[in-house]
Amino acid sequence: KSTVLNDFAESGFDVLIDLSPADVFLAKYLTGVTRAKYKLGKFHPEMVDIYDLMIETDKPLPVKDMIEHCAHYLKLIKNPDAHE
């Protein structure tokens, strides 16, 4: 019932990138209730209905590498011809 959490959830972000570990319930909850237009995060079977784009990797990645993956795929979505 925190005002800060409510304000965050009500914000109309264009993109929300969830880089939190899979076991952080509060982050997953906020991702689910936020009004962000587009939600992106690491693949997790319980989040299929929440995220618009999920990134699955063979092994855990450092946050820096995950950010690079997110940026790469967001650029492809924004400009699909950029990868050619």
Side-chain angles (χ1 to χ4, degrees):
K1 297 190 180 207
S2 165
T3 303
V4 173
L5 296 180
N6 282 335
D7 290 347
F8 182 86
E10 294 293 322
S11 296
F13 299 113
D14 290 331
V15 177
L16 176 91
I17 301 173
D18 178 7
L19 298 171
S20 66
D23 61 346
V24 178
F25 174 78
L26 182 58
K28 301 304 177 200
Y29 174 78
L30 278 173
T31 300
V33 299
T34 188
R35 293 186 180 193
K37 295 174 186 152
Y38 198 83
K39 300 173 187 178
L40 179 136
K42 297 177 191 177
F43 176 80
H44 193 281
E46 294 177 11
M47 299 298 285
V48 171
D49 294 333
I50 305 281
Y51 292 128
D52 298 295
L53 175 65
M54 296 176 20
I55 297 176
E56 184 174 22
T57 59
D58 294 337
K59 59 183 178 180
L61 294 177
V63 173
K64 179 181 180 275
D65 293 344
M66 188 64 179
I67 291 169
E68 289 174 5
H69 281 326
C70 291
H72 170 77
Y73 287 108
L74 287 172
K75 286 177 188 174
L76 288 179
I77 291 168
K78 183 177 179 182
N79 185 5
D81 297 326
H83 70 285
E84 294 180 4

